[in-house]
Amino acid sequence: MDINFNKNDDNIRLLISDMQKRLKKIHKGGGEKKIEKLHSKGKMTARERIEYLIDSDKDSFEIGSFVGDEMYKEYGGCPAGGVVVVMAYISRVQCIIVANDATVKAGAWFPITAKKNLRAQEIAMENHIPIIYLVDSAGVFLPMQDEIFPDKEHFGRIFRNNAVLSAMGITQIAAVMGSCVAGGAYLPIMSDEAIIVNKTGTIFLAGSYLVKSAIGEDIDNETLGGATTHSEVSGVTDYKVENDKEALDTIKDILDKLGAVKTAGFNRVQPKPPKLPEKEIYGIIPENREKPYDIHQIIYRLVDDSEFKEYKTGYGKTIVCGYARINGWAVGIVANQRKIVKSKVGEMQFGGVIYSDSADKATHFIMNCNQKKIPLVFIQDVTGFMVGSKSEHGGIIKDGAKMVNAMANSVVPKFTIIIGNSYGAGNYAMCGKAYDPRLIVAWPTAKIAVMGGEQAAKTLLQIQVSALKAKGKVITAEEEKKSLDTITERYINQLSPYYAAARLWVDEIIDPVDTRKVIALGIEAANNNPDIPEYKLGVIRT
């Protein structure tokens, strides 16, 4: 291996080490004291509940670990958005699990908590897989109620989705393992089956203090809405259990009895590992994100037996398309090529940039995968579409629009892996979050923004300077440099994959060697939904 390989390898290992340190802190939730307090009540933490619940011999994938990262500092933060979401198997049934973390503000819902819960329900809906709610929440975080309560994508959407999931025949099971108050009380009751833990689980629209204030009635919380009340008096819950483990065992028992489901029938054979070592990816991605590299070398280390059947090899070379298998599943891969290449007429083309011929090739390939019912995997390292008079006169906007149209209307499941740059319209064309990928993840090397940091900072500075000049103010070279440094620092922070993951623009940041696992779990989930509509495109300019 050459010195650059070793430098690149060291760089990614450091990035992964930083990611793991961040995760270790996040996994502590509200901290050791809060965990001890939970344990003293005979309760398990959200992560302990999930660990006990899921099949240990099957792969699992946490979604949204970094949600809320560096947000809500004025309220002490909100690790993982106060809720843990995992895609995993329970009694051999693939599920989405949503567990409130009661160590974070008693499991209260911040705005980002609602967004994460909605994302979990969206995944269950798209893939027709059961969703399990482990409820332990104090309800809406009142200081921010105006940002979580009334709008379309706010708290109430959760219960609308409960109803829609039920109508779709998607299994929902709720275990009330702590507080379940106010509007949140509807979630377990709108699920198919509801379990409640004796002495720790409570369900009511208003707690004892509010009842006293509202109607003058004196009553304790247990009598008002405890396990005995709802299992023997109101009939609201279906199972009364004595502790967390019994509640989780009940969920396992219910799922163990589920009938078989129809599948989409995506093609799968016996999985094979890549011939080339996956960890060599670490040495291929350049430490300097502007340096070129060959995307084929990444693909060969992600796909089964390192076999990749490339489509239109000699045409549109800044996008690489082709067929392969990942953990046995047939996939179509659309990946940005970062090498400087020659076009069909011998002109040099910049790596990571989408040209007209690349967009044309990708459009046709995406259409082929939809016709053949082959899931699509997009591997992003893109700076955008080519600009300039030659590209504009050649119809780059028209060709880019064709690619976006073909991708946006895809009916096969799409999965997006952001391994490097994800800028501007390139993010859109390569199936960014706005285009409904079933899962979208980033490597620690990812950068996500409308444009690169240096270009954006200089553009913003020019706007700022022009505005000052219009007011008759003159900015000195020193002031200009200081302003540029401030803008650059702020913008570069926003390029970080952690900034994106905190806001759920990506589902997770992953170690590159986990990419195969995530894609395979995603396709396994997607295969549970047999309803693949006919592939149709909108109006395309030719």
Side-chain angles (χ1 to χ4, degrees):
M1 299 297 176
D2 64 22
I3 190 168
N4 286 325
F5 183 98
N6 292 333
K7 283 182 178 179
N8 296 339
D9 185 272
D10 287 345
N11 176 61
I12 288 198
R13 288 181 188 274
L14 286 171
L15 291 174
I16 291 169
S17 176
D18 176 57
M19 180 182 76
Q20 291 169 341
K21 285 177 184 175
R22 289 171 182 253
L23 281 172
K24 189 174 181 180
K25 183 179 178 183
I26 287 167
H27 288 176
K28 293 293 183 183
E32 292 289 355
K33 288 185 178 179
K34 295 287 179 67
I35 292 172
E36 288 172 12
K37 186 177 179 182
L38 208 65
H39 286 164
S40 71
K41 296 177 180 178
K43 296 165 68 175
M44 303 163 76
T45 67
R47 293 180 189 281
E48 288 168 345
R49 289 166 175 167
I50 291 172
E51 185 178 2
Y52 181 84
L53 184 61
I54 66 177
D55 296 348
S56 59
D57 61 340
K58 292 272 195 177
D59 282 335
S60 61
F61 170 53
E62 183 166 350
I63 294 165
S65 297
F66 297 97
V67 162
D69 186 48
E70 296 295 309
M71 295 171 68
Y72 313 121
K73 289 182 179 180
E74 66 273 34
Y75 299 114
C78 187
V83 63
V84 183
V85 174
V86 173
M87 178 185 283
Y89 282 83
I90 304 170
S91 298
R92 302 173 306 284
V93 178
Q94 195 173 13
C95 303
I96 288 289
I97 305 160
V98 180
N100 299 116
D101 186 349
T103 70
V104 179
K105 293 289 187 295
W109 289 55
F110 286 73
I112 200 68
T113 315
K115 187 174 183 179
K116 187 171 176 179
N117 275 264
L118 289 169
R119 176 63 177 141
Q121 289 183 319
E122 179 183 44
I123 292 170
M125 282 185 196
E126 288 177 331
N127 298 297
H128 283 205
I129 58 176
I131 183 165
I132 312 303
Y133 307 101
L134 306 181
V135 185
D136 195 346
S137 172
V140 167
F141 186 61
L142 289 177
M144 303 190 75
Q145 66 85 26
D146 62 321
E147 296 182 46
I148 187 175
F149 171 64
D151 211 344
K152 181 178 178 180
E153 299 298 327
H154 283 179
F155 192 59
R157 188 77 171 182
I158 305 288
F159 317 123
R160 173 265 185 195
N161 286 351
N162 285 140
V164 171
L165 283 156
S166 183
M168 292 173 71
I170 297 171
T171 297
Q172 298 177 86
I173 303 170
V176 180
M177 311 174 85
S179 297
C180 184
V181 302
Y186 288 104
L187 187 146
I189 312 315
M190 295 187 75
S191 298
D192 303 335
E193 299 190 68
I195 303 155
I196 187 166
V197 180
N198 194 27
K199 302 301 181 185
T200 56
T202 53
I203 307 171
F204 34 64
L205 294 178
S208 56
Y209 293 121
L210 186 53
V211 167
K212 174 69 173 176
S213 169
I215 64 173
E217 181 183 1
D218 278 310
I219 191 168
D220 62 88
N221 283 340
E222 188 64 28
T223 306
L224 180 66
T228 300
T229 296
H230 286 309
S231 298
E232 300 176 16
V233 180
S234 70
V236 162
T237 54
D238 306 304
Y239 306 92
K240 175 185 174 183
V241 298
E242 292 304 315
N243 53 52
D244 281 8
K245 286 188 176 181
E246 189 181 349
L248 300 170
D249 286 335
T250 303
I251 294 170
K252 292 181 185 182
D253 288 343
I254 295 169
L255 289 171
D256 183 55
K257 309 300 186 296
L258 287 189
V261 297
K262 292 180 181 179
T263 68
F266 298 127
N267 185 295
R268 193 182 197 190
V269 299
Q270 184 66 30
K272 294 180 181 179
K275 280 183 180 176
L276 300 177
E278 291 175 71
K279 285 198 173 181
E280 286 184 357
I281 289 171
Y282 296 168
I284 296 168
I285 295 285
E287 179 180 3
N288 179 346
R289 296 302 304 114
E290 305 310 314
K291 284 189 176 181
Y293 63 92
D294 186 357
I295 192 62
H296 292 91
Q297 297 307 317
I298 300 292
I299 293 171
Y300 295 149
R301 288 161 177 82
L302 292 178
V303 301
D304 288 16
D305 215 26
S306 299
E307 290 185 353
F308 178 63
K309 183 64 176 176
E310 190 166 352
Y311 174 79
K312 290 194 176 184
T313 306
Y315 180 72
K317 294 181 181 180
T318 65
I319 288 183
V320 172
C321 300
Y323 302 106
R325 291 189 182 275
I326 292 178
N327 203 25
W329 294 102
V331 296
I333 294 174
V334 180
N336 301 113
Q337 174 60 285
R338 284 301 306 271
K339 282 200 314 182
I340 296 173
V341 297
K342 285 186 178 180
S343 73
K344 59 187 175 182
V345 294
E347 295 176 339
M348 301 307 292
Q349 294 184 338
F350 296 103
V353 178
I354 302 175
Y355 291 76
S356 284
D357 55 355
S358 305
D360 178 63
K361 176 172 79 172
T363 299
H364 199 181
F365 182 74
I366 290 166
M367 292 167 69
N368 279 343
C369 286
N370 275 273
Q371 186 185 58
K372 296 175 174 66
K373 301 294 185 286
I374 300 173
L376 282 159
V377 176
F378 292 84
I379 302 176
Q380 284 197 18
D381 192 349
V382 59
T383 51
F385 285 85
M386 191 58 191
V387 297
S389 60
K390 187 172 182 179
S391 292
E392 298 293 358
H393 296 170
I396 185 68
I397 296 175
K398 181 175 62 177
D399 292 320
K402 285 191 289 189
M403 181 178 172
V404 171
N405 199 323
M407 180 275 302
N409 284 295
S410 286
V411 294
V412 295
K414 299 173 292 198
F415 301 90
T416 303
I417 318 296
I418 304 176
I419 70 172
N421 300 329
S422 179
Y423 294 159
N427 169 284
Y428 297 164
M430 292 294 293
C431 195
K433 183 64 182 289
Y435 293 86
D436 299 321
R438 294 294 178 95
L439 292 172
I440 176 170
V441 297
W443 290 359
T445 46
K447 294 181 178 180
I448 304 164
V450 72
M451 65 177 73
E454 187 177 337
Q455 303 98 303
K458 287 179 178 178
T459 301
L460 290 167
L461 179 65
Q462 288 170 2
I463 294 168
Q464 191 178 89
V465 170
S466 296
L468 288 169
K469 283 182 178 178
K471 295 177 182 178
K473 296 179 180 178
V474 179
I475 185 170
T476 66
E478 185 179 347
E479 289 172 332
E480 189 171 316
K481 183 182 182 304
K482 186 177 178 181
S483 185
L484 179 62
D485 289 344
T486 301
I487 294 169
T488 302
E489 183 180 356
R490 183 177 73 245
Y491 198 88
I492 287 175
N493 177 58
Q494 293 177 2
L495 282 169
S496 163
Y498 296 102
Y499 190 91
R503 290 152 182 81
L504 211 51
W505 301 345
V506 295
D507 291 317
E508 191 63 282
I509 303 171
I510 65 168
D511 185 328
V513 299
D514 287 333
T515 304
R516 281 170 52 83
K517 178 188 82 171
V518 171
I519 293 171
L521 276 170
I523 299 176
E524 285 169 22
N527 200 42
N528 285 281
N529 184 354
D531 300 325
I532 302 176
E534 182 184 351
Y535 184 49
K536 296 178 181 180
L537 289 181
V539 174
I540 292 180
R541 295 181 186 274
T542 57

